[in-house]
Amino acid sequence: MLRHSTPLLVRPTRSAAATSLQALARGFGSTPPARIPKIPLWLNGKAVTMSSGGSVTVRHSKTRQPSCELVVAGEEETRQAVEGSWQAFERWGIVPAWERRRVISKVLGLLQERFPVLAEALHADAAVSDILVAADQRSATNLTDGAADTAINVDGWIPPTTDGALALVTRQPYGPVLSIPAFNYPLTLALRSIVYPLACGNTVILKSSILIPQLHNALASLFADAGLPDGALQIINFSEEDVAQRVEQLIADPLVRMVNFTGSTDIGRKLAAKCGEYLKPSVMELGGKSPAIVLPSADLKLAANNILFGGIFNSGQVCMSTERILVHESVAADFEKELVIAAKEVEGRDGFDGFELVRPNAVKEIEAHIEEAIQAGAKLVYPSQSSPTSPASVHSTSCRLVILSNIPSHVFLASTESFAPVLSLQTFSHPSQALSLANGTSTGLSSSIFGSLDEALPLAQRIEAGAVHINGMTIHDQHGLPFGGIKGSGWGRFNGKGAVEAFTWTRNVVWNGNGHLLPLQAL
């Protein structure tokens, strides 16, 4: 049964939400349905279907047909989200840790039940592969499970003092957190931006992605049905025209206490500047240009397999994607052969139709960057120069796997994240040269080294990246391991203790026994 408070405010039950998502997902192919669903704002536990910001039409990433009508927040609705989040924080922030754990554990159970509905919501807006959806669901399960445990591991300590006073150091939640997740690992990144702040006692204002709004909206009933208090999670949508203005409104508001962003380095830089202007702490998980080093002792078939998978998973649309391959000159020719064999195996599958890119105009952009590199002297390793299609294009939203070598240092692909299935090969003659090349970009999120432990470990200890994977691909995340980058890849950490440090602040409480008089006359 639907609960009404005004004609415009509706809170769907779990069954109603699931039914509507199943209905909207049917028939999304080349022909759009006669009517598209309206995706509301989620404010203070209610679905808001009309707003001062109006609405916009969202188009499917592949078909470019209308997928939904998205209600967008104006200045007033944005203010309501902030005020409601603060009011909810005054209650949620003092909820016992074990109760927060119970709610997030309930989210985990409902999450697994609703995987099919959530997948339908995602497919309704974007072309994503089944392998991505499956991996994303496993990852989301792992991190939500971990966040439940994080809730009961927000602890403090009792340090010694010079005067014998009893000092207690406690960790406190900030308050309302503005969370802005990326679209590319959709369920994992959305949930990560919600459950870790909640586990630490904060409330969350989630800015949905205009690329996958139906998935983000589906999370509202998930948390409501798990027992999260109204207002502890707000989900707001913005149009592309006024997103910058509305996000600044949120950052500027004194009731919004921190910002949590996952996305590109360029946007992260702008958001970080705004956070600095308004003195707001932030967690920034930004882009990368992950290197993979192949040593003479490496298993070349294993290295080629893991590197290729790390470069093409989700069509290269992962911040940890392998983009740069640094291979020792003594094994370079043999490794290149293994890599090309693996590439042909991938693209030779029946029904293979290219790698889908979700962002509008992404294919045109990557084609231009590839052409720039080739014109500047880069060699096309795969596909061959005689390929009947252009290096990148297959369809307007699909691209080919491209492997280049000898990319000049001044072109875009030499140092900037491609967010596409594009890899580059470069040789080195000495480990110190490999280290210099690996650390030679402005980012530092993830990396790989293939070879024996005695050769790889000394390099791993000097690579400037938040993660180094020996004989494993660059794409990896577990709730027990702190995750984040350095340099242009951002700061702050998710998962376990990393999340506790990111989403709480410390308070000293000092007890001086019965106290003592101070020597006023000495002043």
Side-chain angles (χ1 to χ4, degrees):
M1 180 177 180
L2 299 179
R3 185 179 73 185
H4 298 263
S5 55
T6 75
L8 302 181
L9 302 179
V10 182
R11 178 174 181 169
T13 63
R14 172 189 166 196
S15 59
T19 300
S20 64
L21 285 171
Q22 290 167 345
L24 68 89
R26 287 194 294 268
F28 270 76
S30 58
T31 303
R35 298 179 63 184
I36 57 176
K38 177 180 279 191
I39 303 303
L41 307 169
W42 183 257
L43 300 178
N44 302 312
K46 299 178 179 65
V48 178
T49 59
M50 293 187 67
S51 163
S52 65
S55 65
V56 296
T57 299
V58 175
R59 294 182 178 275
H60 190 273
S61 69
K62 182 174 178 63
T63 68
R64 305 311 299 163
Q65 297 292 340
S67 63
C68 66
E69 178 188 354
L70 186 66
V71 179
V72 296
E75 182 178 358
E76 174 60 21
E77 291 76 23
T78 302
R79 183 190 61 78
Q80 291 174 13
V82 172
E83 292 181 353
S85 188
W86 179 260
Q87 292 168 7
F89 170 66
E90 291 182 319
R91 302 185 300 273
W92 181 252
I94 59 175
V95 165
W98 284 91
E99 174 61 14
R100 297 199 301 270
R101 182 180 188 272
R102 186 196 67 78
V103 171
I104 296 174
S105 295
K106 181 67 172 176
V107 169
L108 176 61
L110 294 175
L111 172 69
Q112 293 168 316
E113 291 179 12
R114 300 185 190 184
F115 275 156
V117 173
L118 294 169
E120 288 173 353
L122 175 61
H123 285 299
D125 287 323
V128 295
S129 67
D130 290 340
I131 190 172
L132 169 68
V133 171
D136 190 22
Q137 291 177 349
R138 290 193 299 270
S139 177
T141 299
N142 178 268
L143 77 88
T144 305
D145 188 27
D149 286 339
T150 297
I152 58 172
N153 283 286
V154 181
D155 52 16
W157 62 96
I158 304 175
T161 59
T162 58
D163 57 3
L166 175 64
L168 307 176
V169 181
T170 62
R171 302 206 72 102
Q172 305 296 322
Y174 281 97
V177 174
L178 169 60
S179 285
I180 308 175
F183 73 90
N184 53 306
Y185 214 54
L187 187 58
T188 295
L189 296 183
L191 283 170
R192 185 181 73 175
S193 72
I194 298 170
V195 292
Y196 281 122
L198 288 178
C200 295
N202 304 282
T203 52
V204 175
I205 302 169
L206 181 78
K207 189 204 84 65
S208 74
S209 169
I210 201 166
L211 298 174
I212 51 169
Q214 297 187 63
L215 173 67
H216 286 169
N217 175 260
L219 299 177
S221 61
L222 177 70
F223 282 86
D225 293 347
L228 185 69
D230 289 350
L233 173 63
Q234 315 271 13
I235 302 178
I236 52 179
N237 318 311
F238 297 134
S239 68
E240 293 180 303
E241 287 72 22
D242 66 357
V243 61
Q245 183 179 3
R246 295 282 76 81
V247 168
E248 181 167 3
Q249 178 186 347
L250 287 166
I251 297 175
D253 196 302
L255 296 182
V256 174
R257 294 302 174 86
M258 75 170 297
V259 176
N260 162 31
F261 173 71
T262 297
S264 72
T265 298
D266 286 344
I267 295 177
R269 185 177 290 111
K270 295 174 184 177
L271 287 173
K274 286 298 176 186
C275 289
E277 180 180 347
Y278 295 103
L279 296 178
K280 298 292 172 74
S282 62
V283 173
M284 294 281 165
E285 197 264 274
L286 309 178
K289 190 74 175 175
S290 298
I293 299 174
V294 182
L295 298 171
S297 57
D299 178 329
L300 299 185
K301 187 171 184 177
L302 172 72
N305 170 275
N306 277 244
I307 287 170
L308 187 68
F309 198 99
I312 65 176
F313 181 74
N314 194 25
S315 303
Q317 300 169 116
V318 182
C319 56
M320 296 175 281
S321 290
T322 309
E323 294 214 14
R324 297 180 294 142
I325 311 168
L326 312 175
V327 56
H328 192 274
E329 59 187 12
S330 66
V331 295
D334 290 338
F335 173 79
E336 184 177 313
K337 290 177 183 177
E338 292 288 353
L339 190 62
V340 170
I341 290 171
K344 290 179 177 178
E345 181 181 351
V346 168
E347 292 202 312
R349 302 191 314 270
D350 289 340
F352 179 78
D353 196 29
F355 295 95
E356 288 292 328
L357 300 184
V358 173
R359 294 182 299 111
N361 300 317
V363 172
K364 289 183 179 179
E365 291 174 5
I366 194 59
E367 283 183 326
H369 294 316
I370 292 169
E371 182 63 23
E372 177 200 26
I374 293 174
Q375 290 297 321
K379 175 187 174 184
L380 187 62
V381 175
Y382 183 88
S384 67
Q385 293 282 7
S386 59
S387 175
T389 62
S390 65
S393 268
V394 177
H395 301 298
S396 61
T397 62
S398 302
C399 65
R400 293 287 303 270
L401 161 63
V402 172
I403 304 172
L404 300 168
S405 66
N406 303 320
I407 295 181
S409 61
H410 66 276
V411 303
F412 179 93
L413 289 176
S415 59
T416 307
E417 184 177 48
S418 69
F419 230 55
V422 178
L423 296 94
S424 66
L425 276 165
Q426 191 169 1
T427 61
F428 66 89
S429 58
H430 190 273
S432 62
Q433 185 186 8
L435 193 65
S436 177
L437 292 169
N439 293 338
T441 63
S442 62
T443 55
L445 188 59
S446 187
S447 60
S448 289
I449 304 174
F450 293 88
S452 63
L453 184 62
D454 62 325
E455 286 188 320
L457 193 56
L459 289 177
Q461 293 171 327
R462 298 176 61 192
I463 287 183
E464 295 172 348
V468 183
H469 304 285
I470 298 176
N471 295 327
M473 70 171 174
T474 54
I475 301 176
H476 181 272
D477 189 15
Q478 290 184 13
H479 75 74
L481 299 174
F483 179 78
I486 61 169
K487 301 193 296 187
S489 292
W491 52 81
R493 294 293 182 265
F494 291 96
N495 305 338
K497 291 183 179 180
V500 172
E501 292 172 359
F503 294 106
T504 63
W505 53 277
T506 58
R507 171 188 286 148
N508 298 331
V509 178
V510 181
W511 181 59
N512 291 290
N514 294 322
H516 58 277
L517 295 174
L518 299 173
L520 293 176
Q521 67 278 11
L523 296 176

